[in-house]
Amino acid sequence: MPPRPTHRLDIHLVPHDRTDAALRHVDALWDSWVSEGFLAGAGRSSEPGARAHALVAGGFVRARKDDPGEVVLYANQVGGFQVRCPACGTGLAREFRKQGDTVCPSCGGAFPIDALDCRPPVALGRASLVLCDVADAEVTAIPAGWHVILRRVR
């Protein structure tokens, strides 16, 4: 039996940059959020800061840096996601590839992951800044160049 969605929601902020420089982007965003009072302190994990509710309405339980050591797929963990061809709308769950192009069996189009119609959104990334157990899915202070991935977790 597949796992069922839960009430717990994490938000992964994934830099568009998929190189090791992504770690520096995560560190820079983290440092700016500490200075703005959204996070309580430095390190790999932090409690919410005094102004956490200005970042996420209702706050969050903690924040952490995710460094998997390689490029990984950030996506919904519980409840799955849909992948559709951006050209013809055909479901591509069987054909879906994290690396390389996904080829649509209906129209023959070949698409990289960034071009696919994924719901909820997914992203390939080298690292992420994670807001754990958020009260709301909207984050206010995200600079350009980041994917926002909502992830239901067990």
Side-chain angles (χ1 to χ4, degrees):
M1 174 184 262
R4 301 177 77 142
T6 68
H7 71 282
R8 182 171 161 201
L9 179 65
D10 290 353
I11 298 176
H12 282 261
L13 301 166
V14 182
H16 289 182
D17 185 342
R18 294 180 189 155
T19 68
D20 286 346
L23 299 169
R24 290 191 301 276
H25 297 301
V26 168
D27 287 341
L29 182 58
W30 185 280
D31 292 345
S32 75
W33 284 3
V34 168
S35 68
E36 293 179 48
F38 300 146
L39 301 178
R44 299 204 50 78
S45 182
S46 175
E47 299 297 317
R51 295 190 58 239
H53 286 69
L55 181 65
V56 175
F60 52 93
V61 173
R62 71 183 175 94
R64 68 180 175 82
K65 297 176 188 178
D66 185 54
D67 176 5
E70 63 185 349
V71 174
V72 297
L73 179 69
Y74 288 100
N76 190 32
Q77 185 177 355
V78 179
F81 60 92
Q82 294 180 345
V83 182
R84 298 212 172 273
C85 175
C88 70
T90 296
L92 299 176
R94 287 195 177 122
E95 293 80 13
F96 177 71
R97 297 174 157 266
K98 292 186 268 186
Q99 302 291 333
D101 288 350
T102 297
V103 177
C104 177
S106 294
C107 71
F111 305 96
I113 191 171
D114 295 333
L116 296 172
D117 179 14
C118 297
R119 294 179 195 183
V122 302
L124 287 175
R126 172 59 183 83
S128 74
L129 191 159
V130 187
L131 298 174
C132 302
D133 203 1
V134 297
D136 190 86
E138 296 291 323
V139 182
T140 59
I142 305 169
W146 293 77
H147 297 283
V148 178
I149 304 300
L150 305 178
R151 188 173 190 181
R152 289 266 175 218
V153 293
R154 291 181 201 106

